Amino acid sequence: MGSSLIAWIMRAIPFGTIIMYGALGEIVTEKSGNLNLGVPGIMYLGGFAGFASAYYYEKLATNPSAVVCVVIALLCALVASTLGGLIYAFLTITLRANQNVTGLALTTFGMGVANFFGVFVLNGASYTAAPLANKAFAAKLPFVSGLGVLGQVVFSYGFLAYAAIALAIALFWFLNRTRAGLNLRAVGENPATADAAGINVTRYKYLATCAGAAICGVGGLYYVLDYNQGIWATTGQIQALGWLAVALVIFTTWKPLNAIWGAYLFGTLYWLYQFLPSVLGITVSSAMTDLIQMLPYLVTIVVLVVVSLRKKKENQPPASLGIAYFREER
Amino acid sequence: MADTQIAIRLEKVTKTFGEVVANKDVSLEVRRGEILALLGENGSGKTTLMNMIAGIYYPDGGQIYLGGQAVDIRSPRDALALGIGMIHQHFKLVDVFTAAENIALSMDAAERFDLKRVRDKARAICEKYEFGLDLEQKVYEMSVSQKQTLEIVKVLYRGADILILDEPTAVLTPQETEKLFNVIRNMKADGKAVVIITHKLHEVLAISDRVAILRKGEYIDTVDTKTATEASLTEMMVGQKVELNIERPTPENTVRRLAIHNLSVTSEEGIKLLDNVSFEAFGGEILGIAGISGNGQKELLEAIAGLQPTERGSDVQFFAPGKGRAMELLGMSPRDIREAGVHLSFVPEDRLGMGLVGSMGMTGNMMLKSYGKGRTPILDQKAPRALAEEIREELGVVTPDLNTPVSRLSGGNVQKVLVGREIAASPIVLMTAYAVRGLDINTSYTIYHLLNEQKKKGVAVVYVGEDLDVLLALCDRILVLCGGKVNGILPGATATKEEVGLRMTQLQKEVQQ
């Protein structure tokens, strides 16, 4: 039973890391008042760009180096997902298009782009791999990962898993302790007030949306090159993860630190079905699997209900979330 | 002469919005260490003038001098950098931030970002001028008065020595007003120049050193408060009577339609918006309601229309024709009140905010009031379209098509649709508020004519207006509201402009408790 529990945790944490990136990126975006429902699409863009660049580097370079591979993959993932964010930003901020519609369209778009170009990479196969990149991204920490149970549970993941935690803490610090963070929150809460205070609302919205998209894209990259063992396949699980990330944002009540444990909790709940028999001794029919995988959403709904019952303003979404800002409209 | 130094001087400042002249050749000066009251009726251009000093608007003509130097103020940031701070009626605060965070938001980019230092500096300001402000409190937990205090501290934090307060007492209780005045006096003692925009005469007399008067965008005069009286200020504020050529048929066969007793409304903040209002309205006459905006007009009409919760003891009786017994309107739904024949057409400042749906065409807006009458699940479009067509013809609404969204029509046409719809439903009581707001002369006369037609038909018309000359020319009786109280009901034919003006700004002895 103990080993099952360890296996469960080791499943939950990488899973959680993917959605933690998605959620952190979306928190940054939403803090500027932009509700970007294109998270799944952006994760697709980031994941595919990272995979494809690593794949071709491995294939074409005569003597591929792991470090170069990581840098190239990260860079391409960041650029591709930032571009995805830029599309959204241009449509919703400059052209003031409806945010929900634009976000959903971006999800479809990102998925389509990734799968379209994926055809060329796959070249007729149902999946293809970038083994070197996977090795580099999934490399465990030396020494400490061998420390028995502790090493397995805490230190056996690729570097991006730890980077996610560091990022969450950094974002907390940024939002609450810096001038730019205060300005960003003001933009999302009350853009008219921010504008009157001399803050460039449009610039903050653009930057936050693009930076947020870049962070989401890393989640996609982590999914393909680490979690999915460096395999690009024709199936579309990224989308499900993207929506979980959006749900996680609500679960965290827009606070980056909550995203850390929230993401792991989501991961644990998502994989519950596989470990029910071995850990808890409950056997369920396979038909129940999908129902059990809905638990993270159920928890999110519970959080929503509790938050709205408690009516604490700090737990509410940014006040102008979803609303385009136009100075002359009073 | 150091203490009477001129802080800011305006020279022939002019501002126009389209064809409307908001300020024309205004020359004015504010001195250090004084409190200047800027007095004027609604729409006299007080706020526009001050907005130009605060960098919200840019003057079309004229020059602003600061301490003798000509300055160019292009944004609120510029104004703050020059030491000019304005506290608007609508606060610019972030609700979920603490007071200190809100102050930090507007601080100078050159200043180091350190919330602890912000708090220390702000606390020092609070102590100096005796503000009671908790810097750790979140804005959403604050009362209106605390928010206002925060706005003032924000401006002082930036080092402003010219402060402009736009109707600061409009949202305050009398006790809070007294506190604010003490703070303003402290700032004056500290050598700051304070401008307070107001139309409350007793406040002008209580706090200011000098009074500058604007009327219809033009500068009238500046007088020492010591030598001014209520009567002299009112006269300057309302000006000479202008003869308008509006007909006023003698009321015939008047019948009592509305009887209102002790109507009281209290705002969420606990401020009395209507205080024991009692009056009667008769069919066949036009009852005008005069008052400076925000003195209870909106609440009065909304309370009668069933849109505003009222205090215990309030009573609104409606006497429908052909029915012996009176009908109690309070407690009825807005829809039932309307069905009974009491109609309200309220033209808010943004025109579309109330009563019309901007994205719908004329037909759709007519349907808003009639869809409930249908018996089948399918909407009856014919009748509303015929009605829309009728209104378009009779009132001359200029629209490309009956289905063109009304938000694309000009303001005057939107108002015709709004008023026309209510009139077309043949009401028994017709209440209109600001029906001619922003309309040109011709369209205004069309509306006056329509109201007179209704009066001749025996409808009880309640007309809330802004322009005293119109009220005096059109209405049979004029009810003056002041601070939510009925400050006299005067006969329209004999009342003078000064009398109405004075009652608008100053409670009469017999009305005060």
Side-chain angles (χ1 to χ4, degrees), chain B residues 250-272:
Chain B
T250 321
E252 282 167 14
N253 311 322
T254 56
V255 232
R256 186 167 65 157
R257 290 294 179 220
L258 278 181
I260 286 140
H261 292 291
N262 300 330
L263 185 63
S264 293
V265 170
T266 307
S267 78
E268 275 177 36
E269 284 87 27
I271 296 167
K272 279 238 163 184

Side-chain angles (χ1 to χ4, degrees), chain B residues 373-511:
Chain B
K373 293 199 186 100
R375 276 158 212 279
T376 59
I378 297 157
L379 281 172
D380 172 19
Q381 300 229 12
K382 260 194 200 146
R385 182 167 302 141
L387 179 60
E389 187 56 54
E390 197 185 312
I391 290 174
R392 171 156 87 160
E393 303 242 313
E394 278 187 17
L395 303 191
V397 179
V398 182
T399 169
D401 188 279
L402 287 180
N403 293 321
T404 306
V406 290
S407 61
R408 284 207 224 136
L409 307 187
S410 76
N413 286 312
V414 171
Q415 264 155 273
K416 284 183 195 165
V417 175
L418 186 61
V419 177
R421 184 180 64 188
E422 299 310 322
I423 290 175
S426 39
I428 299 159
V429 175
L430 176 65
M431 302 187 284
T432 67
Y434 313 116
V436 296
R437 187 174 248 169
L439 294 190
D440 61 54
I441 301 284
N442 283 332
T443 324
S444 301
Y445 273 80
T446 313
I447 302 256
Y448 303 143
H449 181 69
L450 281 171
L451 294 178
N452 268 327
E453 291 284 300
Q454 292 298 305
K455 169 180 161 183
K456 282 185 212 157
K457 276 192 202 158
V459 174
V461 181
V462 178
Y463 176 86
V464 175
E466 291 175 304
D467 191 328
L468 283 187
D469 291 315
V470 172
L471 279 165
L472 287 167
L474 177 71
C475 303
D476 301 302
R477 290 185 303 144
I478 299 171
L479 184 156
V480 188
L481 278 178
C482 177
K485 290 182 183 178
V486 176
N487 203 15
I489 299 178
L490 311 168
T494 55
T496 65
K497 208 171 168 184
E498 285 72 28
E499 200 179 353
V500 178
L502 193 60
R503 282 175 188 265
M504 277 163 64
T505 49
Q506 187 73 35
L507 275 183
Q508 298 299 295
K509 289 259 156 47
E510 75 265 14
V511 183

Side-chain angles (χ1 to χ4, degrees), chain A residues 64-320:
Chain A
S65 116
V67 177
V68 177
C69 187
V70 167
V71 171
I72 289 182
L74 261 179
L75 216 61
C76 289
L78 287 175
V79 169
S81 45
T82 304
L83 283 176
L86 197 61
I87 296 174
Y88 175 86
F90 178 71
L91 288 172
T92 61
I93 303 167
T94 305
L95 302 181
R96 292 197 285 276
N98 180 299
Q99 295 191 3
N100 295 336
V101 177
T102 310
L104 291 173
L106 187 60
T107 286
T108 319
F109 173 78
M111 233 171 99
V113 167
N115 285 329
F116 174 75
F117 288 105
V119 169
F120 298 104
V121 177
L122 290 171
N123 209 4
S126 65
Y127 69 89
T128 180
L132 178 73
N134 174 238
K135 224 176 123 216
F137 274 96
K140 296 174 187 177
L141 294 173
F143 315 120
V144 281
S145 56
L147 292 174
V149 175
L150 185 74
Q152 274 186 305
V153 173
V154 182
F155 297 114
S156 65
Y157 314 105
F159 71 95
L160 281 178
Y162 307 103
I165 299 172
L167 181 68
I169 296 167
L171 281 179
F172 166 79
W173 181 82
F174 168 75
L175 287 172
N176 294 294
R177 298 279 184 276
T178 67
R179 184 198 298 253
L182 186 77
N183 288 354
L184 175 61
R185 283 193 289 143
V187 166
E189 289 291 339
N190 193 337
T193 296
D195 197 12
I199 296 165
N200 189 335
V201 173
T202 306
R203 193 166 78 195
Y204 267 89
K205 275 181 169 259
Y206 258 94
L207 284 177
T209 305
C210 290
I215 297 171
C216 290
V218 177
L221 176 78
Y222 181 85
Y223 170 82
V224 181
L225 291 182
D226 187 338
Y227 183 83
N228 213 24
Q229 285 144 19
I231 292 168
W232 181 262
T234 46
T235 54
Q237 211 205 349
I238 294 184
Q239 201 189 7
L241 286 156
W243 293 125
L244 267 180
V246 175
L248 182 60
V249 174
I250 299 164
F251 180 86
T252 63
T253 60
W254 292 266
K255 293 182 186 66
L257 289 186
N258 287 348
I260 302 175
W261 66 270
Y264 297 150
L265 175 71
F266 273 32
T268 313
L269 292 173
Y270 190 85
W271 285 107
L272 178 66
Y273 76 95
Q274 236 186 36
F275 296 94
L276 270 179
S278 54
V279 179
L280 301 171
I282 304 166
T283 329
V284 288
S285 69
S286 57
M288 296 294 285
T289 306
D290 286 324
L291 279 181
I292 296 168
Q293 282 186 329
M294 279 164 39
L295 272 177
Y297 294 106
L298 192 70
V299 176
T300 305
I301 292 171
V302 171
V303 167
L304 267 179
V305 170
V306 171
V307 162
S308 70
L309 282 179
R310 283 174 62 200
K311 286 188 183 138
K312 259 188 89 182
K313 278 239 179 178
E314 282 84 353
N315 293 336
Q316 298 299 322
S320 81

Side-chain angles (χ1 to χ4, degrees), chain B residues 53-244:
Chain B
I53 300 178
I56 310 266
Y57 297 142
Y58 192 73
D60 297 334
Q63 182 63 51
I64 301 171
Y65 296 90
L66 195 84
Q69 293 276 314
V71 287
D72 200 26
I73 306 169
R74 292 198 170 264
S75 74
R77 283 242 135 181
D78 287 358
L80 266 175
L82 292 168
I84 303 165
M86 181 157 168
I87 287 94
H88 298 271
Q89 277 180 291
H90 300 285
F91 304 134
K92 297 217 180 294
L93 297 169
V94 178
D95 270 352
V96 294
F97 283 11
T98 63
E101 284 175 319
N102 268 293
I103 295 169
L105 201 62
S106 63
M107 76 187 189
D108 199 12
E111 196 177 327
R112 195 160 59 87
F113 186 82
D114 179 354
L115 278 178
K116 202 178 156 293
R117 266 187 43 191
V118 170
R119 275 196 291 273
D120 291 344
K121 204 174 145 189
R123 198 169 291 125
I125 293 171
C126 290
E127 278 165 19
K128 185 172 171 192
Y129 298 105
E130 294 168 28
F131 289 112
L133 185 67
D134 177 4
L135 291 163
E136 285 308 296
Q137 202 177 15
K138 294 266 165 75
V139 170
Y140 66 80
E141 296 166 343
M142 292 183 177
S143 68
V144 182
S145 149
Q146 283 170 311
K147 287 181 194 174
Q148 187 181 56
T149 308
L150 174 57
E151 285 281 18
I152 299 173
V153 174
K154 238 170 82 178
V155 168
L156 290 174
Y157 186 94
R158 285 297 310 271
D161 44 23
I162 300 167
L163 276 106
I164 305 162
L165 294 109
D166 190 359
E167 301 194 16
T169 60
V171 289
L172 302 184
T173 63
Q175 293 85 346
E176 289 169 335
T177 303
E178 204 35 60
K179 254 201 226 162
L180 174 73
F181 282 1
N182 280 332
V183 168
I184 293 179
R185 288 191 192 103
N186 286 342
M187 293 194 286
K188 171 191 160 186
D190 194 40
K192 298 201 182 298
V194 182
V195 181
I196 135 166
I197 302 177
T198 184
H199 42 58
K200 295 183 184 166
L201 281 181
H202 62 102
E203 290 181 356
V204 170
L205 294 170
I207 184 121
S208 70
D209 298 307
R210 293 189 308 146
V211 195
I213 296 112
L214 289 183
R215 191 201 308 147
K216 299 205 165 122
E218 288 186 50
Y219 171 73
I220 304 301
D221 199 5
T222 303
V223 292
D224 281 334
T225 310
K226 272 177 284 180
T227 61
T229 64
E230 279 151 22
S232 72
L233 291 177
T234 306
E235 202 189 308
M236 281 192 274
M237 200 167 120
V238 297
Q240 293 294 309
K241 188 174 174 181
V242 182
E243 281 304 326
L244 294 170

